[in-house]
Amino acid sequence: MQTVLEAFGWAGSLLVVASLMQARVLRFRWMNLSGAVIATIYNAVIGVWPFAFMNLAITVIDIYWLWRLYRERHDAAVYRVLAVDADNAFLRHVLDVHGEDIATHAPGFDVEADAGTAAGGTRHTFLVVRGDEAVGVVAVTDEGAGRGRVDLDWVKERFRDFTPGEFVYRESGALADAGFSRLEVVPRAGEDGDYLRRVGFTMAGERWARAVTP
């Protein structure tokens, strides 16, 4: 019985330590919560009350932040969409700092080549921000007749569970303001079809497509 109890306590400790290595906010909170709950029970059973209280406090804090994160994940008042020029200095900085991650998720996206295209008026770029922090970038190329091709829909890893790109497609009106009535995505290897469906895309011929709501 003592061995089982110790293994239970170690499991809680390992979960807390592992949570600190998570980049994604939701994953961190859930793992930290699980570890804190186990640690609370373990320390209460063996009568180490200061640590039981500490872990109980962590449990309450994690529950609060999870409630808040889930409440805000689809809140247009929390995330905003800013239309920016492709050569905007801050946008270029964000793309440069996260270039390696962007290349992993959108290998066909060429920042340097596309900057020149955008200057000619065919590229529209949108920054998704949370407060004063840029959390994602969506880039759409104008193919004429109100049709836009999504070349980049990228989000920082720690915000990836919240799909903030949805605010570009659903809430902001930025796409309609840019003159788009239809968006299309060219399928590529590793494309997250579930995400595209969640933000309103359906397969139409050889591309994902969705109408732009005015």
Side-chain angles (χ1 to χ4, degrees), residues 135-153:
V135 302
V137 179
V138 174
V140 183
T141 294
D142 190 343
E143 294 191 321
R147 203 159 48 108
R149 185 188 69 238
V150 180
D151 295 325
L152 177 66
D153 182 349

Side-chain angles (χ1 to χ4, degrees), residues 182 185-188 191 193 196-197 200-210:
R182 176 183 172 90
V185 176
V186 179
R188 53 176 172 254
E191 193 80 65
L196 290 172
R197 291 186 189 93
F201 285 87
T202 56
M203 248 348 239
E206 296 183 349
R207 292 186 176 188
W208 293 92
R210 65 156 291 161

Side-chain angles (χ1 to χ4, degrees), residues 101-193:
D101 187 46
I102 291 172
T104 300
H105 291 86
F109 185 74
D110 188 333
V111 176
E112 295 301 329
D114 290 335
T117 302
T122 60
R123 159 65 61 77
H124 296 263
T125 313
F126 308 93
L127 267 176
V128 184
V129 298
R130 188 180 192 276
D132 61 354
E133 179 182 5
V135 302
V137 179
V138 174
V140 183
T141 294
D142 190 343
E143 294 191 321
R147 203 159 48 108
R149 185 188 69 238
V150 180
D151 295 325
L152 177 66
D153 182 349
W154 169 83
V155 175
K156 285 183 181 177
E157 184 177 4
R158 70 192 191 95
F159 289 96
R160 215 155 276 165
D161 293 319
F162 303 102
T163 62
E166 71 179 81
F167 295 102
V168 178
Y169 303 124
R170 288 178 172 169
E171 307 292 344
S172 70
L175 290 164
D177 292 343
F180 293 113
S181 57
R182 176 183 172 90
L183 288 183
E184 297 180 354
V185 176
V186 179
R188 53 176 172 254
E191 193 80 65
D192 188 348

